[in-house]
Amino acid sequence: MYKILKKEVLSPTLKLFEIDAPKVAKKCQAGQFIILRIDEKGERIPLTIADFNREKGTITLIFAEVGKTTKQLGQMEAGDALLDFVGPLGRPSEIEKYGRVVCIGAGVGIAPVFPITRALKEAGNEVIGIAGARNKELLFWTDEFKAQCDEFHICTDDGSAGEKGFVSDVLKKIIEEKGKVDYVISIGPIPAMKVCAELTKPYGIKTFVSLNSIMVDGTGMCGACRVTVGDETKFACVDGPEFDGHLVDFNEQMRRAQIFKDEEQRALAAGSCGGGGCGCH
Amino acid sequence: MSLNNSPKKNEMPCQDPKVRAKNFDEVALGYTEEQAIDEANRCLGCKKEPCREGCPVQVPIPQFIAKIKESDFAGAIATIKDKNALPAVCGRVCPQEAQCEKYCVRGKKGEPVGIGRLERFVADWERAQGVKPVECAPPTGKKVAVVGSGPAGLTVAADCAQAGHEVTIFEALHVPGGVLMYGIPEFRLPKAIVQAEIENLKKIGVKVEVDSVIGAIDTVDELLENEGFDAVFIGTGAGLPYFLGIPGENLNGVYSANEFLTRTNLMKAYLFPEYDTPIKVGKKVAVLGGGNVAMDCARTALRLGAEEVHIVYRRSMEELPARIEEVHHAEEEGVIFDILTNPTEIIGNDDNWVTGMTCLKYELGEPDESGRRKPVAIEGSDFHMPIDTVVVAIGQGPNPLVPRTTKGLETNRKGNIVASEETGATSKPRVYAGGDVVTGAATVIKAMGAGRVAATNICELLKK
């Protein structure tokens, strides 16, 4: 069992857990993910690592409550334990000295981009950070994120915090102002990553995105996380989760994310009013 | 007792095909004591033991059958277990027709003795009595790490623990058993049987660490250098699914066999939404491939509610690599065999969902390298097959995680670990390997045979 040592409610639907998982914490690097399972009847879900502490042996996760499992997870408290916790999975981010880099976290994507930003800063890059969300309530970790950056921008769709607009609007301004950007990492909802990648393509700026595809085992066994990159099929779990944003078929990814949409609705309905495992009864 | 001269095996009692095609309970129900003894009496007890030659782990077959004739079931199981640690599994999933039963003298004029069925009978008899833990040698103080808990790993763990070594199994998934848990369906191999075997290993001191992806947490080198293991066995299987490489394979509704079976068996998607993992099966399912895995997928699709399930295979019925019994069961349950057929493209709608396949018809030409007649496409034979779910069951390769993270471990061009057939030794000292990760996808019993060889050599090494 893997104990939840700390829980923070970042917004009503956004939660932070610090999990006791020393073996994972010992080895994990920025950009990698874990797979967890709450209980015996639970599904295996992948979450990208938001932070880690090797001395304490902990992994920090931040998740949005979107489906049955994340909602159930959100009702767990410090002191509770997860049945399974596997990782670190996937390839780590390619951390190099690129020069001037822009790190973009959109929505819950702020969490996974944080350790990558820190690593890029430590590697000697000039780091520009962008944190974006639909509204002020959904922003988090802006101080922590900002502390890793030489320049930092906040934006919200409704203008309730920072500039009004999307992360791609801010990115566009930065590219136009600075003239030269050497590397972009963009993590967030697929449409946001798609727009950022399309924006940097004409400038020839190397742009990476991190995919949170549907997975079962997370070790290359099931192939559920297939993604077309260029003219090749890759597995997000073992070949990713980061890929060249200029080569990813985002439209396919968006449609593949819908595979179990009906089942998700059924699970939510069964879980919230059927007296199921969600804990609301 | 006298020789039973019947040219036919005692029939295996089975669930009715119409009923079982809608449930996940085991299909074959097993012999009664009377049937087992009657079947045992068909055995001639040949001195030359040709059946034993056909067994990858050389189970003393005439000897265990002789004990069944005397109703000494405890003696029979003890005789098997001397050579085979997982008889309840092998009795169910071994391709007996290509191994022991192929060489049975009774098979020359009629059906061979039902060796697999008898093996299963005594293993089930023992489990019902409560299995006594095997005797182990006194502790040697040596530590053996087993990476992967499929048939090869479980065999190594059993043998090394019996020799007095301290054994730890590392399993990437949340349940040990490997392909026996995620791959082979409940209706063919009940999961309780696999877990009972693993409990027996725990009783003799084997530690099982689940959720442990070697290569991601400790590497093989770290197990040897930092964690104090004296030897490591790698039995990580053939877990990487192959696809055909035709257009449309990333459409929604196309599964690898691994995904389809793992969702159903390991994650129990057939009990969704009681269990959280979903699976989506349409009305008309095409399973591509002709092996045991393809049969498992087709029969699983029926049980998940598909109205029509097709096996699409480019050779003919004679070349199907699946066990005869599986093909037979699939046919009984209503699986349709579209042989000499192969898809060239999977077609989808605007929402990315599969709607059909373009297929070509084939005819058999001259024998190819495998000795089987080569399927040749018939020009202009392309046709449209309306379908809404596709399961690709054309084979699996070795998972690259362990080789990629282990220094000095030689692999071949397919990515399989190179290991000696005689000893299981790899290019790296104190590291052994066996099973599908070495041979490519094969059978449970062959993996167990390789595990037995490696364990013997690990024990020899640790004596020094």
Side-chain angles (χ1 to χ4, degrees), chain A residues 27 41 84 222 226 256, chain B residues 211 217 222 250 256 274:
Chain A
K27 282 296 177 73
K41 293 182 178 177
D84 297 293
C222 80
R226 301 197 292 289
R256 285 190 68 81
Chain B
D211 294 339
I217 46 167
E222 286 167 323
N250 292 349
S256 74
E274 185 198 344

Side-chain angles (χ1 to χ4, degrees), chain B residues 150-412:
Chain B
L154 292 180
T155 304
V156 173
D159 287 4
C160 289
Q162 276 186 52
H165 306 310
E166 192 186 320
V167 179
T168 306
I169 299 178
F170 295 94
E171 167 56 46
L173 292 170
H174 55 263
V175 184
V179 71
L180 306 175
M181 289 304 291
Y182 75 75
I184 303 174
E186 176 77 19
F187 57 80
R188 199 148 78 80
L189 177 63
K191 301 308 143 208
I193 290 174
V194 182
Q195 290 312 308
E197 296 290 0
I198 289 160
E199 285 308 311
N200 291 337
L201 288 182
K202 288 183 182 168
K203 280 183 199 152
I204 59 169
V206 172
K207 282 185 236 162
V208 181
E209 302 267 359
V210 294
D211 294 339
S212 299
V213 183
I214 294 303
I217 46 167
D218 286 321
T219 61
V220 169
D221 290 279
E222 286 167 323
L223 290 175
L224 290 168
E225 286 157 27
N226 307 341
E227 301 298 320
F229 287 99
D230 298 287
V232 177
F233 175 80
I234 304 170
T236 46
L240 198 74
Y242 289 146
F243 288 88
L244 287 157
I246 58 174
E249 275 187 308
N250 292 349
L251 288 167
N252 296 3
V254 181
Y255 295 93
S256 74
N258 272 355
E259 180 184 1
F260 195 73
L261 294 174
T262 302
R263 283 183 182 274
T264 314
N265 300 325
L266 182 75
M267 306 309 298
K268 299 209 177 351
Y270 61 94
L271 298 174
F272 177 87
E274 185 198 344
Y275 280 72
D276 290 341
T277 304
I279 193 161
K280 211 177 188 114
V281 175
K283 292 195 170 102
K284 209 169 158 186
V285 179
V287 177
L288 314 182
N292 289 321
V293 174
M295 299 306 137
D296 286 346
C297 290
R299 298 171 69 198
T300 296
L302 280 178
R303 285 158 174 78
L304 289 169
E307 287 169 10
E308 214 179 286
V309 179
H310 295 248
I311 287 276
V312 178
Y313 180 59
R314 65 191 185 123
R315 299 180 195 250
S316 76
M317 292 302 277
E318 279 70 53
E319 285 86 22
L320 282 172
R323 290 174 81 208
I324 291 170
E325 192 184 344
E326 307 313 325
V327 177
H328 176 65
H329 279 157
E331 284 181 312
E332 276 184 347
E333 289 167 15
V335 172
I336 301 158
F337 284 75
D338 293 329
I339 52 158
L340 293 165
T341 304
N342 207 34
T344 53
E345 183 176 3
I346 304 170
I347 296 156
N349 61 20
D350 291 343
D351 292 327
N352 212 46
W353 283 95
V354 172
T355 57
M357 299 193 300
T358 305
C359 295
L360 276 178
K361 295 297 280 180
Y362 281 66
E363 57 194 356
L364 291 180
E366 295 299 310
D368 61 14
E369 322 82 69
S370 72
R372 299 179 297 178
R373 290 179 65 191
K374 191 181 171 165
V376 184
I378 302 170
E379 218 171 296
S381 66
D382 49 312
F383 68 100
H384 181 76
M385 184 188 282
I387 227 97
D388 51 21
T389 305
V390 177
V391 183
V392 184
I394 57 162
Q396 299 91 233
N399 191 303
L401 261 174
V402 170
R404 199 192 275 169
T405 53
T406 309
K407 277 178 267 166
L409 187 66
E410 194 189 328
T411 53
N412 67 17

Side-chain angles (χ1 to χ4, degrees), chain B residues 28-41:
Chain B
L29 303 170
Y31 279 164
T32 60
E33 282 192 21
E34 292 70 32
Q35 286 170 315
I37 293 167
D38 192 56
E39 185 63 26
N41 282 328

Side-chain angles (χ1 to χ4, degrees), chain A residues 107-272:
Chain A
V108 75
I110 295 169
V113 93
F114 171 75
I116 301 170
T117 307
R118 182 172 58 197
L120 286 167
K121 180 69 192 160
E122 282 166 5
N125 291 287
E126 178 194 340
V127 177
I128 302 171
I130 308 173
R134 281 207 311 278
N135 58 51
K136 195 180 165 189
E137 279 67 48
L138 296 172
L139 277 173
F140 61 93
W141 272 16
T142 45
D143 291 343
E144 289 88 340
F145 193 179
K146 190 179 176 180
Q148 309 301 331
C149 300
D150 298 289
E151 184 182 322
F152 186 66
H153 300 262
I154 292 177
C155 62
T156 49
D157 298 4
D158 64 357
S160 54
E163 299 162 48
K164 185 174 189 294
F166 301 121
V167 287
S168 50
D169 300 330
V170 181
L171 175 64
K172 189 162 188 254
K173 250 189 262 174
I174 291 169
I175 296 171
E176 283 167 1
E177 272 171 31
K178 306 275 175 189
K180 181 175 170 286
V181 170
D182 300 295
Y183 181 74
V184 172
I185 171 91
S186 170
I187 309 182
I190 301 171
M193 294 192 285
K194 183 185 178 203
V195 173
C196 288
E198 281 169 356
L199 185 68
T200 58
K201 200 172 181 179
Y203 296 96
I205 303 168
K206 184 175 175 179
T207 300
F208 269 63
V209 298
S210 179
L211 301 178
N212 192 4
S213 314
I214 293 173
M215 292 183 189
V216 184
D217 63 292
T219 62
M221 205 182 87
C222 80
C225 62
R226 301 197 292 289
V227 47
T228 302
V229 181
D231 49 10
E232 276 181 286
T233 292
K234 299 276 188 186
F235 290 180
C237 65
V238 286
D239 301 318
E242 285 178 24
F243 294 104
D244 185 335
H246 296 154
L247 298 177
V248 169
D249 183 341
F250 287 106
N251 293 338
E252 178 189 86
Q253 280 302 293
M254 268 184 262
R255 293 185 301 233
R256 285 190 68 81
Q258 302 296 312
I259 293 178
F260 295 109
K261 205 175 96 192
D262 298 346
E263 285 73 15
E264 280 164 25
Q265 291 307 317
R266 261 181 78 197
L268 273 174
S272 58

